[in-house]
């Protein structure tokens, strides 16, 4: 899939923030952090913009399927 150039930087920023957060939460969980921290994970990914990331990917997918 090809992301629209106008959305590319937004997509990259959101994806990078999500990857960082995921790595941090995974590491903390493995090292014994309380599982309660996972509850805030979904709130945090929404704040970062996971819904927008999905929308950008869906738009790219829809564009691909129109070809």
């Amino acid at each position: 899939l090809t992301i629209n150039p106008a959305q590319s930087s937004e997509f990259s920023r959101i994806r990078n923030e999500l990857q960082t957060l995921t790595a941090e939460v995974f590491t903390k969980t493995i090292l014994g952090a309380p599982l309660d921290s996972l509850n805030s994970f979904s709130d945090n990914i929404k704040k970062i913009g996971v819904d927008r990331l999905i929308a950008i990917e869906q738009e790219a997918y829809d564009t691909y399927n129109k070809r």
Side-chain angles (χ1 to χ4, degrees), residues 27-39:
T27 300
K28 287 178 183 177
T29 303
I30 294 298
L31 294 176
L35 293 179
D36 293 342
S37 65
L38 292 177
N39 293 335

Side-chain angles (χ1 to χ4, degrees), residues 6-26:
Q7 299 169 328
S8 181
S9 63
E10 179 184 18
F11 180 85
S12 294
R13 179 192 57 79
I14 295 169
R15 186 183 59 196
N16 289 339
E17 288 183 34
L18 288 172
Q19 288 174 332
T20 299
L21 176 65
T22 302
E24 288 173 359
V25 170
F26 180 77

